[in-house]
Amino acid sequence: MGYLRFISRNLRGRPARTTLTALGLSVAVSAVMLLTGISWGFERSFLAIYRSRGIDLIVVRAGISDQLSSNLDASLEDELRAIPGVSQVAPSLMDAVSFEEANLVSVLTSGWEPGSLLIEGLRILEGRPLRPGDRRVVLLGRVLAMNLGKSVGEPIDIAGERFEVVGIYESASLFENGGLVMPLAELQRMMGREGQVTGFVVVAAPGVDPRELGRTIERRHQGVAAVPSGDYVKENIQLRLARAMASATTAIALVLGSIGLLNTMAMAVAERTGEIGLLRALGWRRSRIILLLMGEAGALGLLGVAGGAVLAAAGARGITMAPTSRGFIEPNLSPLVLAIGLAMGLGLTLLGGLYPAVRASRLEPTEALRHE
Amino acid sequence: MSDRRSEPTEIPPLLLGEGLVKTYPDGDVRALRGVSIAVAPGEFMAITGPSGCGKSTLLHLLGGLDRPSAGEVVFRGRPLSDLDLDSYRASEVGFVFQAFHLIPTLTALENVQVPMFAAGIPVGDRAGRARRLLEEVGLSHRAGHPPRRLSIGERQRVAIARALANGPSLLLADEPTGNLDSASQREILDLLSRLRADRGVTLVIVTHSAEVAAEADREIRLRDGLVVG
Ligand SMILES: Nc1ncnc2c1ncn2[C@@H]1O[C@H](COP(=O)(O)OP(=O)(O)OP(=O)(O)O)[C@@H](O)[C@H]1O
Ligand SMILES: [Mg+2]
C-alpha cells in the first residue's frame, strides 16, 4: 500500500462526503470554465472577423466606447485610400435588429458595399452575393437563416420593411454567421444616416507596419482613431465586460469552493482525530500527515476539476443549443480553459486543505489517542 | 547506567526510566511523581495498579509518545531527549492499545502496513511483509477484511501484527486484553509469549488482570504516580 491507495481508501470509505464535496467543487470549477470559455469564444469569434480578411486597422471615431456609437463621414473613404501604405479600404455601417417572433434580439446587421473586401470575406452557400444597385435585398448568415427558417428567395421583414433573401453565407466568425448583411445605402436609408458610416476597415500594403500606418492616419485626420484589429478586439467594451465577469466569477467560485473544501477537510480531521493520533503514535512525522491530508484534499480537487469539466462541457452544449444564445455564444473549452480549471482545483486544495492538515499534524499523539 | 539499585542481571537494560515525573498542565495533575524502572532485553514486564495511578502515562513516556516533565527515558544507553522521537517510535517501538485503534477504511492487510510508511519500507515490499505478519498471528485468511468484519480477538491480533510491522525491539501494550473475553485473552497472551520466544522482543504490558500479571517475569505496581512494589 502506498499513499495513493491510502488516500483512495479514505475517500472511498466516506462515499457520501467525498461525492458531495467533489460535486460542490465541480459546480464552482465548471462555472469558471464556462465563463472563461464564453469570454474567450467571444474574443476568438470577434477576432475572426478581421483575421479572415487580412484586415490590419479599424478606423472609427476617436474616444467612443461602443463601436455601434461610432460615426464618421462616408467621404473619408477616398482620403484614406490616398494615404501611402493603404492597400484597401472598405466602409461599414453597423446596427442591431430584433426578430421578436424568433426570439432573437440584437442581431448584428452590417451595411457593406457590394464587391468590398468585407463582402469578399463571406462564403456564399446559397444564392448570390450583393450586386451594385441592389435594393431591398439581404444576405443571411448561416446560423441566422437556420434560426429564422428562411431560405433564398423568401421575403423577410426587417424593422418594418420587407426585404428579399438573395443569399446565405458562411463566415469564419460566429457573430457574422448569426447576423445579416445588406447594401450600405439601404442600411443608411433605414437608419436615417445617409452619407455616414460606423467606420472603415483598412488593409495595409505589403511591408507596411500597421501600427505606424495607424499613427499616420490619426495625424492626418483629427478625431479619428485607427486601431490595429487585435487591439480593437481587446478593447471592445462587451468583451471587457465578459472578461471581467469571468474573473469575478472565478474569484467568487474560488472563495466558495475553498470554504467548502476547508469545511470538509476540517470535518475529516475532527472525525479522525484518533486516527491521526494513531499515525503519530506509529511514528508518522508531522510532514507525512500533512502529505496524506493534502493528498486527500488534492484528490478531491482533481475529482472536482474532472466533474467540473464534464459539467462545463454539458453546459457549453446547452448554451450552444439554447434558443436565446444559439448561434451567438459558443464557449471555447480549449485545453487552456481546462488548465485554468486544473489550476483552480489545485488552488482550492491549497486554500482549503492546508489549514486543517497543518492543524491535524500538530495534534499530540497521546491527546489524540484519548479521543474515542 | 544507574548502579543505585542492584539489577537482576549484568546485561545493560534495554530501557530505563529515571526519576520520571509527569505533570499535566490542565488541573495540575501529577500523574507520575518520580518513577524509576529498568527493563532488561527480552524481559516480559507487567505494570499494574488502580485506575488513574499513571500506568498509561508511564507507558507513553517509555514509548516516546510524550516527554516527561522531569527525569529521563534511556533506550540502549541513549536518552530519548537526544533521539528523534518519530523515528524511535517508528522503528524501535510497537504499540498495542486496549481499543485496537485500527483504521476502519483499511483492510487488515493494509492496517498492518500503516507503520511501514514511517520506517521507509519500499512500497513494493509492504504487502508481502504484512502478509507474513498476519500469518504469524494466525490471520492470513482475514487479510482482505476491514476491522468491522473481524471478531474482537481478531482485531487485537491485527493490531499486534501492526505493532510488529517494522521489527521493533520493544512491544508496549496498554491493557491489550481489557476489551476481550477470557478465551480471547488467553489466545492473545499465548500469542504474545510466542512472539517473545520467536523474536526475542521485549514486552511491557499494562494490565488490570491478575492472570496476565502472573504470566510476566516481573510485575511493577504503581500507586498515585509512584512505584510501590
Ligand atoms: N492529557 C491529560 N491531561 C490531564 N490529565 C491527564 C491526562 N492524561 C492523564 N491524566 C491524568 O493523569 C492520571 C494518570 O492517568 P493514566 O491514564 O496514566 O492512568 P492509568 O493508570 O492508565 O488509569 P487507567 O487504569 O484508568 O487507564 C489520571 O488522574 C488522569 O486523569
Ligand atoms: Mg490507562
Side-chain angles (χ1 to χ4, degrees):
Chain A
M1 181 175 67
Y3 278 105
L4 290 182
R5 183 72 167 277
F6 202 164
I7 287 166
S8 98
R9 284 286 196 214
N10 282 338
L11 293 179
R12 285 193 314 191
R14 296 160 178 93
R17 178 198 294 165
T18 300
T19 312
L20 285 175
T21 308
L23 199 67
L25 294 178
S26 295
V27 170
V29 168
S30 74
V32 167
M33 284 184 175
L34 257 185
L35 268 145
T36 309
I38 286 172
S39 114
W40 288 6
F42 218 61
E43 184 164 342
R44 186 176 64 171
S45 197
F46 202 167
L47 208 54
I49 298 178
Y50 308 111
R51 287 272 161 82
S52 65
R53 295 172 171 104
I55 291 167
D56 295 307
L57 291 170
I58 315 295
V59 178
V60 288
R61 177 162 297 284
I64 51 111
S65 58
D66 183 352
Q67 59 169 2
L68 287 184
S69 67
S70 167
N71 178 22
L72 290 175
D73 204 298
S75 64
L76 192 60
E77 179 177 355
D78 294 333
E79 295 171 40
L80 289 174
R81 214 180 286 282
I83 293 174
V86 170
S87 158
Q88 294 185 67
V89 180
S92 165
L93 181 61
M94 283 194 289
D95 198 6
V97 300
S98 309
F99 296 94
E100 310 267 332
E101 68 284 0
N103 206 3
L104 293 171
V105 291
S106 250
V107 172
L108 179 68
T109 305
S110 308
W112 291 342
E113 283 190 328
S116 86
L117 77 110
L118 287 165
I119 296 259
E120 297 296 313
L122 304 177
R123 200 160 69 84
I124 301 296
L125 299 175
E126 262 181 76
R128 62 170 178 85
L130 296 180
R131 290 195 195 118
D134 265 343
R135 291 265 183 284
R136 305 280 167 132
V137 300
V138 291
L139 305 178
L140 298 186
R142 181 179 57 77
V143 175
L144 181 63
M146 194 179 74
N147 286 346
L148 293 175
K150 295 282 183 192
S151 41
V152 172
E154 290 188 44
I156 181 170
D157 290 330
I158 300 169
E161 284 190 44
R162 178 141 298 196
F163 284 75
E164 185 196 341
V165 178
V166 293
I168 290 171
Y169 64 81
E170 177 160 50
S171 148
S173 163
L174 193 68
F175 291 148
E176 292 186 337
N177 284 333
L180 62 92
V181 174
M182 64 172 73
L184 175 61
E186 288 287 276
L187 191 58
Q188 285 172 331
R189 179 185 54 75
M190 282 180 73
M191 295 173 70
R193 289 176 63 175
E194 280 89 352
Q196 291 181 352
V197 295
T198 308
F200 300 90
V201 294
V202 172
V203 179
V208 173
D209 175 26
R211 220 166 267 280
E212 192 53 47
L213 181 61
R215 278 193 283 272
T216 308
I217 293 173
E218 287 176 359
R219 262 197 308 277
R220 290 201 182 188
H221 297 280
Q222 288 294 314
V224 155
V227 189
S229 48
D231 296 358
Y232 183 70
V233 167
K234 284 219 169 53
E235 284 158 23
N236 175 271
I237 187 81
Q238 281 88 357
L239 207 68
R240 271 164 47 190
L241 271 173
R243 234 184 274 126
M245 223 156 80
S247 326
T249 312
T250 306
I252 294 170
L254 206 59
V255 170
L256 290 184
S258 53
I259 289 175
L261 192 72
L262 182 84
N263 185 43
T264 302
M265 292 308 294
M267 264 170 64
V269 167
E271 190 183 282
R272 279 152 61 195
T273 303
E275 189 176 315
I276 291 158
L278 170 82
L279 294 176
R280 296 278 291 130
L282 297 179
W284 279 51
R285 288 185 193 291
R286 291 185 171 182
S287 52
R288 210 177 277 283
I289 287 179
I290 293 178
L291 193 68
L292 178 73
L293 290 170
M294 286 309 279
E296 285 183 27
L300 283 170
L302 284 181
L303 279 176
V305 171
V310 172
L311 282 182
R317 237 185 112 73
I319 287 175
T320 315
M321 315 276 262
T324 45
S325 52
R326 187 172 26 161
F328 193 56
I329 301 175
E330 189 173 57
N332 174 9
L333 294 182
S334 63
L336 206 56
V337 172
L338 292 177
I340 286 180
L342 192 67
M344 195 181 137
L346 294 180
L348 289 173
T349 302
L350 280 178
L351 281 174
L354 198 55
Y355 175 68
V358 168
R359 270 195 62 138
S361 77
R362 295 197 185 284
L363 284 169
E364 287 300 330
T366 49
E367 194 59 30
L369 280 173
R370 280 150 59 94
H371 234 268
E372 255 311 278
Chain B
M1 301 299 115
S2 166
D3 286 327
R4 277 172 292 167
R5 283 166 292 126
S6 54
E7 297 299 333
T9 60
E10 294 161 20
I11 313 166
L14 178 74
L15 192 67
L16 205 59
E18 291 180 319
L20 293 174
V21 174
K22 181 69 189 179
T23 313
Y24 288 108
D26 49 322
D28 216 12
V29 183
R30 306 237 303 156
L32 293 179
R33 300 190 290 156
V35 170
S36 297
I37 58 163
V39 187
E43 185 178 7
F44 176 179
M45 174 190 278
I47 300 176
T48 59
S51 184
C53 68
K55 305 182 295 294
S56 297
T57 304
L58 176 60
L59 203 69
H60 291 164
L61 294 185
L62 295 179
L65 275 180
D66 208 350
R67 293 185 184 277
S69 313
E72 183 70 86
V73 176
V74 181
F75 176 76
R76 290 195 205 280
R78 295 182 62 192
L80 287 196
S81 51
D82 289 355
L83 296 181
D84 170 27
L85 285 189
D86 289 331
S87 48
Y88 170 67
R89 289 199 300 268
S91 38
E92 300 293 353
V93 184
F95 276 107
V96 179
F97 306 95
Q98 177 175 0
F100 323 130
H101 285 292
L102 296 174
I103 296 177
T105 48
L106 300 182
T107 63
L109 191 72
E110 288 162 347
N111 264 290
V112 175
Q113 295 173 61
V114 169
M116 298 180 188
F117 285 75
I121 292 173
V123 177
D125 299 349
R126 292 177 192 166
R129 207 178 153 115
R131 215 171 279 286
R132 282 192 296 279
L133 288 165
L134 283 181
E135 213 165 293
E136 208 173 331
V137 300
L139 275 184
S140 23
H141 58 299
R142 292 276 186 269
H145 289 214
R148 66 170 185 283
R149 286 177 44 206
L150 299 175
S151 76
I152 305 291
E154 286 172 334
R155 288 179 205 178
Q156 195 57 302
R157 281 195 274 163
V158 173
I160 290 170
R162 179 181 65 190
L164 297 172
N166 297 328
S169 47
L170 193 59
L171 211 53
L172 303 181
D174 196 345
E175 302 191 29
T177 61
N179 280 357
L180 305 182
D181 59 45
S182 57
S184 307
Q185 164 162 313
R186 190 65 252 163
E187 271 177 36
I188 294 294
L189 265 181
D190 289 346
L191 172 61
L192 288 174
S193 23
R194 181 160 55 78
L195 290 173
R196 188 161 76 104
D198 293 352
R199 294 174 162 257
V201 69
T202 305
L203 203 55
V204 179
I205 296 185
V206 167
T207 187
H208 274 128
S209 149
E211 187 190 351
V212 175
E215 203 96 347
D217 301 335
R218 197 146 61 100
E219 180 181 348
I220 299 285
R221 290 199 188 84
L222 290 187
R223 177 178 292 271
D224 287 336
L226 289 171
V227 178
V228 292

